[in-house]
Amino acid sequence: MARLAKSTYTERPWRIHEFTSDFGVEDVWAFRTPGAGPDDFPLMLTAMRVSGGLARQPLPVRFLFAVRWKLGALLGWDKPTAGVGARVVSLRDRLPDDLRDAPRGEDTDAMPLKAVYELPTESARELANKTVHTVMHLGWVRGADGDHELRMTVLVKPNGRWGRLYMAAIAPFRYAIVYPALTREWERAWRDRHELAARHGEGA
């Protein structure tokens, strides 16, 4: 995994730019997917979806998420009234007609971010609570070595001063624990992509 300049996201002609001008770019990361070709993004998404998610993460990551969900329950951060479709309008309601009719992507209980759209080279998911409205954008880009690579951009719209403080407070944990673990999971998912797809009966 490599952290990239924000311009590597903002300067590309992603469709998501059309309706997220009020979001800030928090992070841009590239993940190693050796041997990947231009048409392999759907395979990468399948491998990520069936790779195990939070249950396969190391104990420190699972502990951090358990603490976060506990705090959210105690402080009311994650109430339905604070989520997408309540406190904030879903990005689904902002989509142009062609994207609204495009594939959306699969939602599962294991993935707290809900699907917005899924295209041959990019996808988006969103989550909102009392602190922030966030979007995870995934893109498929040709890298410097000629192989294609996965890029993840995190877009955020903090909910006022408290939301900005929350984002600042969790930043050290994201960089030191969450992102490295996510990198290991997603890069392992790419290495095991054919086995994972076959095991779950999905096309490879």
Side-chain angles (χ1 to χ4, degrees):
M1 178 183 73
R3 192 177 184 186
L4 304 178
K6 294 178 180 180
S7 61
T8 60
Y9 163 79
T10 58
E11 293 176 357
R12 295 196 66 87
W14 300 120
R15 293 298 306 274
I16 199 170
H17 295 318
E18 300 171 26
F19 43 87
T20 54
S21 60
D22 51 339
F23 284 75
V25 180
E26 184 75 11
D27 294 304
V28 185
W29 300 94
F31 299 83
R32 294 181 293 270
T33 51
D39 301 322
D40 284 335
F41 185 55
L43 177 57
M44 181 69 209
L45 293 181
T46 295
M48 292 162 60
R49 186 170 61 249
V50 301
S51 64
L54 184 60
R56 288 195 61 181
Q57 293 294 339
L59 181 60
V61 176
R62 287 183 278 128
F63 175 76
L64 279 177
F65 275 93
V67 170
R68 166 59 185 85
W69 301 135
K70 184 64 174 179
L71 284 174
L74 290 173
L75 300 175
W77 291 348
D78 305 313
K79 290 181 177 179
T81 54
V84 172
R87 186 182 71 80
V88 302
V89 174
S90 171
L91 290 186
R92 291 283 305 173
D93 295 334
R94 302 186 182 188
L95 296 181
D97 289 343
D98 64 321
L99 283 186
R100 191 174 291 116
D101 295 335
R104 181 172 179 172
E106 181 181 344
D107 283 330
T108 67
D109 292 339
M111 167 55 77
L113 288 92
K114 300 308 177 184
V116 178
Y117 66 89
E118 194 170 290
L119 301 176
T121 59
E122 68 173 298
S123 71
R125 289 180 172 271
E126 66 179 338
L127 177 147
N129 52 45
K130 198 171 183 178
T131 63
V132 70
H133 186 186
T134 186
V135 179
M136 179 181 72
H137 179 265
L138 299 176
W140 200 240
V141 177
R142 185 176 183 180
D145 61 0
D147 291 340
H148 277 64
E149 65 186 18
L150 179 70
R151 291 187 182 176
M152 177 185 73
T153 302
V154 179
L155 307 175
V156 296
K157 188 196 299 186
N159 186 17
R161 181 172 179 269
W162 170 245
R164 292 190 291 273
L165 290 172
Y166 171 80
M167 290 301 298
I170 67 173
F173 300 101
R174 293 202 324 270
Y175 296 133
I177 299 175
V178 176
Y179 285 150
L182 190 67
T183 299
R184 290 190 293 271
E185 178 185 350
W186 285 1
E187 293 184 353
R188 181 178 62 242
W190 173 253
R191 292 193 302 270
D192 298 341
R193 60 196 179 279
H194 296 298
E195 177 186 345
L196 288 168
R199 185 188 310 161
H200 290 264
E202 304 199 32

